[in-house]
Amino acid sequence: DIRVTDQPMGTLYSISTNNNGDQVKDAYKYFKSNTLIVDPGFGTCDFISVSGGVLGKPETFQEYGMKRVLEETSKVIFDRYHQEISVAAMQKYLERGSVTCFDRKTMSSTEKAFNDILEKCSVKVFNEVMENLKTIYNYLSEQEYLVITGGTGAAWEKLFREYLSGLSSLHIINGMINDPSLPLIFSNVRGYYNYLYSYLKTKKH
């Protein structure tokens, strides 16, 4: 009763099905072309390729998720403002966009924005991801579709599109292309659901 699949495959099913669980007209292209799914999440960044209907070797990197971005941000905040913030506590500060800096000598405090730090750290990690992609997938020269998914993928979508804008042969697809009403973070789970729904419907008949 349990069917197991690689995590980014959920997004492949998601871009291939509509909200009724039926295949969209471009589904055949995604499975038969050279399609690369990039799934940056909180703790990891996962890659998986599909070529001619055959799955490539899944690649998982522990150092390229949002956790790494927040770790880098925390380090710079400490170096610049001498305020120590753990990754676990970072959410509160992200909502504010600033950290409170205390001066014991003057018994005063000031708010210091760190938007610029977060952006630079995010771009730094993104660039490392792209260097890995270029190394593993031959500069994406053979890829026809790049599918972006995952929570960090949502934060990086604009960066992906700008970085790869010169590749006219590469089509960049949002993992929620068939249901834009849902956040990108749900791409995988939507695909799992539609895959299982389709499988059970076929099995029933």
Side-chain angles (χ1 to χ4, degrees):
D1 294 330
I2 297 175
R3 302 183 66 83
V4 179
T5 186
D6 291 298
Q7 183 169 313
M9 286 301 294
T11 292
L12 182 60
Y13 299 133
S14 185
I15 65 172
S16 302
T17 54
N18 60 27
N19 283 341
N20 294 321
D22 300 320
Q23 285 197 345
V24 298
K25 64 178 182 178
D26 289 331
Y28 179 82
K29 294 180 183 179
Y30 302 146
F31 280 93
K32 293 299 181 181
S33 303
N34 291 334
T35 299
L36 176 62
I37 301 167
V38 182
D39 183 5
F42 180 76
T44 64
C45 184
D46 302 308
F47 310 148
I48 193 167
S49 62
V50 182
S51 180
V54 179
L55 292 179
K57 176 188 174 185
E59 303 281 354
T60 296
F61 296 90
Q62 302 285 344
E63 65 271 35
Y64 295 140
M66 184 54 65
K67 180 181 178 184
R68 165 79 187 292
V69 174
L70 297 182
E71 287 173 345
E72 294 285 337
T73 302
S74 181
K75 289 177 185 176
V76 178
I77 288 174
F78 182 78
D79 291 340
R80 185 181 296 183
Y81 301 127
H82 308 293
Q83 299 297 314
E84 189 170 358
I85 303 173
S86 67
V87 171
M90 187 65 78
Q91 183 60 43
K92 176 179 71 173
Y93 295 96
L94 289 173
E95 292 172 359
R96 286 166 44 189
S98 64
V99 293
T100 305
C101 300
F102 294 95
D103 187 326
R104 295 181 180 179
K105 292 182 179 179
T106 61
M107 286 296 292
S108 61
S109 63
T110 55
E111 289 293 314
K112 299 288 186 180
F114 64 92
N115 310 59
D116 60 325
I117 298 174
L118 179 64
E119 184 176 353
K120 287 179 181 178
C121 291
S122 182
V123 170
K124 175 185 176 181
V125 178
F126 168 80
N127 286 334
E128 291 180 19
V129 169
M130 292 309 304
E131 289 303 313
N132 246 290
L133 281 175
K134 291 189 293 186
T135 299
I136 297 171
Y137 300 104
N138 191 25
Y139 284 77
L140 305 178
S141 59
E142 300 174 2
Q143 301 300 321
E144 297 165 83
Y145 295 98
L146 176 76
V147 185
I148 305 167
T149 186
T152 305
W156 286 348
E157 183 174 1
K158 184 179 178 181
L159 294 177
F160 274 113
R161 293 186 183 279
E162 290 176 350
Y163 193 101
L164 299 169
S165 60
L167 291 178
S168 59
S169 58
L170 183 68
H171 304 282
I172 300 176
I173 299 174
N174 181 300
M176 289 304 298
I177 189 173
N178 294 321
D179 191 352
S181 67
L182 291 176
L184 194 60
I185 195 172
F186 291 115
S187 299
N188 280 330
V189 71
R190 179 182 182 274
Y192 300 151
Y193 180 88
N194 282 356
Y195 171 77
L196 186 58
Y197 173 78
S198 178
Y199 168 77
L200 293 175
K201 186 167 63 173
T202 303
K203 190 175 179 180
K204 184 178 180 180
H205 293 299

